[in-house]
Amino acid sequence: MDTLQSYDELPYDRLPFPESEPDFLAAIASLHGFGAADARNARVLELGCAQGGNLIPMAARYPDSEFVGIDLSRVQVEEGQAFIAQAGLANIRLLHGDIAALPDDLGEFDFIIAHGVYSWVPDAVREALLSACRSLLKPHGIACISFNVAAGWRTYGGIRRLLLQHDRPGLCPMQRVEQARSVLAATAFEDERLQKEADYLKNASASYLFHEYLSDINKAHSFGQFVADAGRHGLRYLGEAGPRRARVALENDWGLSAEARYERWLEAEAGLDDALDTRFRRALLVRHDAGLPQPQQAGLLKGMAFSAELASEDELDFAEACEQHFTTIAGDHLPVSHPLLKAFLVVLAGACPQVMDYGRAVGHALELAREYGYRGEAHAEFLEALLDFVQMQGLRLHTFIPQRMSASADSPRASSLARAQAAMPAWPVTNAFHVALDLDEWGRRLLASMDGSLSADALGRKLRKEPGEAGIQATPQQAAWHVQRYLEFFRRQGLIG
Ligand SMILES: C[S@@+](CC[C@H](N)C(=O)[O-])C[C@H]1O[C@@H](n2cnc3c(N)ncnc32)[C@H](O)[C@@H]1O
């Protein structure tokens, strides 16, 4: 096949996926006792990379690593290649090609990512994908493969079946999306979960709605089937890149062989899918000969580093355990009870975008919590609560502390990637933690102008001079206030020093 028409006609959304960022993968692997490569000096392959929206920001973040992306949609690959040229990145290549017919000279990789591919390709391509992971992974390499899970899709498949009943494949993709949206608008679902999803889909991107709900192929897999298929290709399940609302705890497992313990873990994972109605997994796989993986160990968090972009509107109680909430930048409202964990999160949020190692962060947290009456230590119970919060992706795990951008005295400077993304409305701007930011028009214009040659005042004047509606309709003082607000936001996102 020369190209994939459906993605040429309605390209995917160019999004970064924080769960697939190589240092995050290495951090999750560490929690399972598995030593992965250093993301700063690694080879990374993405299969089904679309325009490179996920891979390109990684390449900018790790200039000494090498990135290769492959996708069968010619239009998407060409768009990505043009963007790479514009951003001036030399350590990334996007290739137009088929996962089922990969070039022989790719070499081996420390990380292989296939996000949003496994469930959406024919069986032969799925087999080729697993086979490529085994043959192209280095001995301690990690593959991250996401897929739709049968447990959850038993419910959500109802929406897909309904939309396909009314679909007219002869129409162009956007007409089909419009048709699907009108079916959603005219339908009231009895099941609350379905109604919630339908409401979400009414405003979701056309591309997501089309490729998830109207595509020819969307095959959900049980966890057990996925693990068995990976096993046939010499790959083992290592863990999950999340986020997840619960995790497996193996009890009474003393005396079990490592093999039996592993099997019990896998059974428990499958059971969790049924209990949670899991509909999507981001599974990590390793080579069969890399050793037998084990569940996450909370104690291993002591060797990690952390960052968090969080806020809480609660009057936090650092002395006693009581449920309070923190909100992530993605808008998730997450519960926290352990008093020391609340202090730990406050310390990290206050330091954002700094990454802090465990010792330093917990030291500050103990100081803060004790000031308000906490009498405990950072014991096992705290580490278990921290691991739960990590699982929910309320904070971010790192294996190392990244170098901070140097602060610009007068004239803020954003990276060439951030400026290139900001200048193109179709591309999301990615923050230092590989998260897409929801930037308005002024924010984009401002960021695109931050090449280090303009002071904050000059940036304010420039924005006011933009023609027509694009210009800030404001007094010089108001414009200066807007600019300061954006600068503070960009600083917290690690986009400027
Ligand atoms: C659902 S999109 C996911 C894109 C991106 N990874 C993401 O998650 O945003 C699936 C991608 O896989 C690509 N694809 C499908 N079949 C392929 C194949 N046989 N070889 C290479 N790429 C393929 C499509 O062109 C599309 O870009």
Side-chain angles (χ1 to χ4, degrees), residues 34 50 98 148 222 346 355-356 362 411:
F34 190 89
D98 190 341
N148 276 344
S222 73
V346 167
V355 176
M356 290 173 106
V362 89
S411 308

Side-chain angles (χ1 to χ4, degrees), residues 6 42 68 74 80 86 110 115 129 141 161 216 233 318 338 354 369 438 443 450 478 482 484:
S6 58
V68 181
R74 186 184 290 281
Q86 169 143 358
D110 300 289
H115 188 274
L129 192 156
R161 284 189 292 278
D216 294 342
H233 288 274
F318 296 126
H338 198 289
Q354 241 190 90
D438 196 9
M450 286 187 187
Q478 286 167 332
H482 279 303
Q484 285 309 329

Side-chain angles (χ1 to χ4, degrees), residues 123 146 175 194 309 414:
D123 291 346
S146 65
Q175 288 173 315
L194 289 189
E309 165 68 308

Side-chain angles (χ1 to χ4, degrees), residues 147-174:
F147 61 96
N148 276 344
V149 179
W153 276 84
R154 275 198 286 272
T155 305
Y156 295 99
I159 295 187
R160 181 169 148 88
R161 284 189 292 278
L162 173 75
L163 296 184
L164 287 177
Q165 269 168 25
H166 293 85
D167 186 32
R168 286 162 57 203
L171 298 178
C172 76
M174 276 316 288

